[in-house]
Amino acid sequence: MSQDLMNTLQQAFEQNVIDIENYKKDGRKAIGCYCLYSPVELIVAAGAIPLPLCGTKNDPVAAAEEVLPRNLCPLIKSSYGFAALNTCPFFRFSDMIVADTTCDGKKKMFELMQQYKKVHVLQLPQNQNVEKSLAPWLDEVRIMKEEIEAVTGVEITTERIDAAIDLLNRERDAKKAVMDLAQIKPSPIKGSELINILFKVGFLADKEKGIGLMNTMVDHYKALAENGESPYTAKTPRILISGVPMGVGSDKVAKILEESGASVVGFENCTGYKQVFTVEKEGDRLDVLARQYLSIPCSVMSPNTGRLELLDRMIRDFKVDGVVDLTWQACHTYNVESFSVEKHLKDAHGLPMLHLETDYSDSDTEQLRVRIQAFIEML
Amino acid sequence: MRAAGIDIGSRSIELVILDNSGIIEARTADSGFDPMGVAGKLMDKVAFDRIVATGYGRNLFEIAFEGDTVTEIKAHARGAYHLFPDAGTILDIGGQDSKVIRTNGAGKVTKFEMNDRCAAGTGKFLEIMARSLGFTIEEFGGAAMTADDELPINSMCTVFAESEVTSLLARGEDRLKIARGLHSSVVRRAMSMLKRVSDDGPVVFTGGVANNPCMVRFLEQLTGRDVLVPSEPHMAGALGAALIAHEMMR
């Protein structure tokens, strides 16, 4: 039954590529995004299809390294490689790219990406102090709205934004419900399954289909849990993965953790629980969106206290035994922040943390396995 | 009841057999290109009731032979706890990795750090450097200690350090001073990892590199901490694995 659901998801994922092709023939636009900070509501409000483009596969990295330095984050290289090779259908579908200056590597890469697509870059503030940073960020959001209107030919009205907020709030609620399945002890769902679901649903042009699928999964796994069915026992160590985003192809750490006998119960990252929030429909909608998105606790922000608060919440709700802090190679902000996170986990929760720095390749699998197994032995 | 521990490292394989009276057999061999073949030969004609494997080859061993596995972190912690029960910090420098482990009063691992994926600052690094300077690995440490001064080596990457050594030799520099500089750079690298995990108390130094007298002396001098070296430091992992096997049988 679980497998049937995963097959349905896979079919929806494959059908989606054909669907988007048809939508595009009918004149609908697609807009690619490279970061959680871009308010997707504006894309949906314009009737366009939002596509999350951050690269998660190792295949295009070698091609990217013909242009980009080797010592750069694999997510940036993968993203750029997909563009250069034109091997990602979702990049190909995009009539426009919305990208944020989330880090130095990304922002300079976007300059090079301009040769393949229209890339609209949002200048993201690096501080969440509303007095200092909201005005310039709101300006960026407003310009993004105008750019999207120009590309789609659709005027983004308040009514349209509200409809998009409703739809995306429902999608975020469904994602939260799927992720919250792992709060059950023992969890009925594996962390690698969560990655698979969140990754594939993210591309679905038909958001209702994605929401419906996720709700069915929640019902299914809840029923399993009620019958006491789980791949784990009450004694299985429960691990929270924190740090950089993960998707299908960049999920090796979650898989090794599971192979080593752990239950990965949550993801404190932008492909996981950082997506869990609710946008209110009140006042100036652009202002509301700007405030909400600016508060996302990514390590680009300084200070980034929101991340520690999110960790506190997740450690409690997901009954976490240990945290694995994942840094993609050359991601300086997450790499440096690791020190403060480890200290906070020890001081506030008495929890051990394992910091791992790696890339998308398999070359260090055994080295990672030793660290991960030793960490599990230690818990 | 006889318990065995086997440590399948990148450079060498160690086997320890013990019973209630203590160690009754200890063997070692080069890993070579066929570690499972070597492991099989090493276990030839020795009897034991249970075996625990550790080291990078442990998972392959588990498939090829009957046995349980533990990581080398747990094994070295157990071995060091047996040898020096009062020391809570272990530095292990082996053939391809180095690690620092902190244990609580009962010998349980509470924190650890390992070097990056490359061989910087490990036995492999020292071995390659010894070769470029015309020393055997056995004489390398002793030779370095005879130098009255050292030449700083900046590269930690084995390949870059080799080029650096080559250019120093081309400048006519003394190979003993270069050797001393290389040892102190490996010690400094180990120290930064050591500090992140534990900052006081004695340090148990295990792994093949602890056989190098220069490493031991520099570690003592630069950290100001007592450095405790087992008589056969490279056997510590296999000993720990054997002790764990012994506990499993009880």
Side-chain angles (χ1 to χ4, degrees):
Chain A
M1 175 66 181
S2 299
Q3 195 51 49
D4 290 349
L5 280 176
M6 291 301 168
N7 291 344
T8 309
L9 173 67
Q10 182 59 28
Q11 280 160 13
F13 182 68
E14 285 162 19
Q15 177 63 36
N16 181 50
V17 177
I18 302 163
D19 289 348
I20 298 179
E21 240 161 45
N22 291 330
Y23 288 139
K24 291 212 61 180
K25 271 185 205 144
D26 298 341
R28 226 176 131 185
K29 302 290 181 189
I31 297 178
C33 295
Y34 276 105
C35 187
L36 193 54
Y37 282 104
S38 311
V40 188
E41 278 79 358
L42 298 178
I43 298 171
V44 172
I49 304 160
L51 296 169
L53 293 182
C54 280
T56 61
K57 303 235 164 44
N58 196 47
D59 315 345
V61 165
E65 285 173 351
E66 289 173 19
V67 175
L68 299 172
R70 279 179 62 89
N71 182 25
L72 189 66
C73 149
L75 186 151
I76 301 175
K77 289 191 283 193
S78 175
S79 301
Y80 185 80
F82 270 126
L85 293 168
N86 203 20
T87 45
C88 169
F90 304 111
F91 184 85
R92 215 160 42 230
F93 289 142
S94 300
D95 296 285
M96 166 190 177
I97 306 280
V98 176
D100 306 65
T101 55
T102 335
C103 70
D104 290 351
K106 262 190 169 178
K107 86 182 175 201
K108 299 311 283 185
M109 180 274 279
F110 292 138
E111 292 173 11
L112 303 176
M113 191 181 260
Q114 305 267 6
Q115 63 186 303
Y116 302 112
K117 284 279 177 189
K118 174 184 168 63
V119 182
H120 175 73
V121 176
L122 306 184
Q123 300 293 330
L124 180 69
Q126 301 191 358
N127 174 295
Q128 291 159 318
N129 180 322
V130 170
E131 275 173 33
K132 260 197 246 174
S133 300
L134 184 65
W137 177 237
L138 181 55
D139 221 34
E140 291 294 324
V141 172
R142 189 170 291 122
I143 298 167
M144 172 182 165
K145 171 178 166 276
E146 287 161 7
E147 286 283 328
I148 293 172
E149 286 176 332
V151 166
T152 58
V154 174
E155 191 198 338
I156 301 176
T157 60
T158 303
E159 291 68 37
R160 282 180 158 272
I161 294 178
D162 283 352
I165 289 176
D166 282 335
L167 179 64
L168 292 168
N169 275 344
R170 284 176 49 231
E171 187 188 42
R172 284 184 286 255
D173 286 347
K175 283 183 181 174
K176 178 176 189 298
V178 170
M179 288 188 270
D180 284 350
L181 286 167
Q183 290 188 3
I184 303 169
K185 188 174 180 174
S187 169
I189 191 163
K190 290 182 176 181
S192 54
E193 291 174 322
L194 287 173
I195 293 179
N196 188 41
I197 297 166
L198 295 168
F199 179 81
K200 286 179 180 158
V201 162
F203 293 102
L204 299 185
D206 184 350
K207 295 266 173 218
E208 293 294 355
K209 194 191 254 180
I211 294 167
L213 253 170
M214 286 191 279
N215 290 339
T216 311
M217 295 207 177
V218 171
D219 293 340
H220 166 69
Y221 283 101
K222 272 192 178 158
L224 284 187
E226 273 160 29
N227 285 331
E229 287 180 49
S230 163
Y232 309 111
T233 71
K235 283 185 178 165
T236 307
R238 296 165 65 84
I239 302 295
L240 174 70
I241 297 183
S242 179
V244 295
M246 298 167 89
V248 172
S250 59
D251 48 359
K252 65 178 179 184
V253 166
K255 286 184 173 157
I256 299 172
L257 273 161
E258 289 174 353
E259 287 161 12
S260 306
S263 164
V264 176
V265 292
F267 300 93
E268 187 278 312
N269 59 25
C270 58
T271 43
Y273 228 65
K274 278 180 194 168
Q275 298 183 53
V276 173
F277 54 79
T278 305
V279 179
E280 303 296 337
K281 289 178 293 176
E282 57 189 19
D284 176 52
R285 300 300 192 263
L286 291 190
D287 183 83
V288 170
L289 286 171
R291 279 173 196 268
Q292 182 62 55
Y293 279 85
L294 184 64
S295 69
I296 292 169
C298 172
S299 63
V300 67
M301 295 297 170
S302 179
N304 184 27
T305 47
R307 184 174 174 206
L308 301 184
E309 287 158 22
L310 181 56
L311 279 166
D312 290 343
R313 214 172 94 206
M314 292 187 76
I315 285 164
R316 187 193 63 215
D317 295 347
F318 288 83
K319 303 157 199 89
V320 170
D321 298 314
V323 175
V324 169
D325 186 33
L326 178 63
T327 300
W328 294 132
Q329 186 189 79
C331 176
H332 303 321
T333 52
Y334 272 108
N335 209 355
V336 175
E337 210 167 272
S338 185
F339 183 86
S340 325
V341 170
E342 181 168 20
K343 188 172 183 317
H344 175 78
L345 293 174
K346 185 166 175 275
D347 295 348
H349 302 278
L351 276 187
M353 186 191 96
L354 176 68
H355 180 225
L356 296 174
E357 187 185 1
T358 183
D359 61 11
Y360 289 1
S361 75
D362 289 326
S363 64
D364 61 347
T365 304
E366 291 311 309
Q367 283 94 331
L368 289 175
R369 201 184 299 280
V370 175
R371 288 164 172 76
I372 287 170
Q373 288 182 348
F375 186 65
I376 307 281
E377 283 172 348
M378 199 176 100
L379 295 175
Chain B
M1 293 288 261
R2 288 176 153 207
I6 188 162
D7 181 357
I8 303 161
S10 64
R11 193 64 190 80
S12 62
I13 301 178
E14 286 84 23
L15 177 74
V16 167
I17 315 272
L18 46 81
D19 64 12
N20 291 330
S21 65
I23 298 175
I24 50 175
E25 180 91 43
R27 300 178 171 187
T28 182
D30 278 357
S31 307
F33 57 87
D34 174 25
M36 288 312 117
V38 176
K41 269 188 204 147
L42 212 56
M43 294 188 300
D44 203 25
K45 296 193 183 88
V46 280
F48 50 81
D49 302 294
R50 185 151 192 170
I51 188 161
V52 166
T54 188
Y56 95 107
R58 68 193 180 287
N59 294 318
L60 207 55
F61 183 91
E62 193 180 19
I63 298 164
F65 304 94
E66 289 277 309
D68 295 290
T69 62
V70 294
T71 63
E72 42 271 48
I73 290 152
K74 187 172 177 175
H76 276 269
R78 186 66 192 83
Y81 178 67
H82 177 79
L83 297 163
F84 303 101
D86 297 330
T89 308
I90 301 121
L91 168 66
D92 167 57
I93 308 187
Q96 74 174 8
D97 62 34
S98 55
K99 46 192 155 304
V100 178
I101 308 160
R102 194 169 68 205
T103 55
N104 65 12
K108 189 177 175 335
V109 178
T110 55
K111 192 175 162 71
F112 67 90
E113 281 234 8
M114 288 182 81
N115 66 326
D116 304 331
R117 63 170 82 176
C118 78
T122 66
K124 197 82 207 160
F125 177 87
L126 286 171
E127 197 174 358
I128 289 171
M129 294 308 129
R131 198 187 305 148
S132 351
L133 292 173
F135 295 110
T136 65
I137 191 67
E138 289 77 18
E139 66 194 12
F140 194 34
M145 284 201 295
T146 63
D148 49 10
D149 194 10
E150 68 184 47
L151 285 165
I153 305 292
N154 300 305
S155 311
M156 251 300 141
C157 166
T158 312
V159 179
F160 289 152
E162 205 172 7
S163 319
E164 200 176 336
V165 166
T166 307
S167 41
L168 287 172
L169 289 172
R171 250 171 38 194
E173 299 287 0
D174 178 4
R175 68 171 184 157
L176 293 174
K177 290 183 182 174
I178 301 173
R180 190 172 151 167
L182 283 163
H183 280 80
S184 99
S185 77
V186 173
V187 168
R188 280 175 211 280
R189 191 183 171 90
M191 275 172 62
S192 62
M193 196 158 62
L194 193 59
K195 273 188 194 151
R196 284 199 296 274
V197 176
S198 117
D199 47 17
D200 63 350
V203 179
V204 181
F205 189 10
T206 64
V209 173
N211 284 312
N212 179 317
C214 187
M215 287 294 298
V216 178
R217 183 189 287 179
F218 282 9
L219 193 65
E220 267 172 340
Q221 284 173 354
L222 291 169
T223 59
R225 297 165 72 167
D226 285 339
V227 176
L228 310 170
V229 184
S231 59
E232 291 188 286
H234 53 283
M235 303 298 293
L239 172 64
L243 289 163
I244 292 165
H246 194 250
E247 279 150 23
M248 283 174 169
M249 291 192 297
R250 272 189 304 190

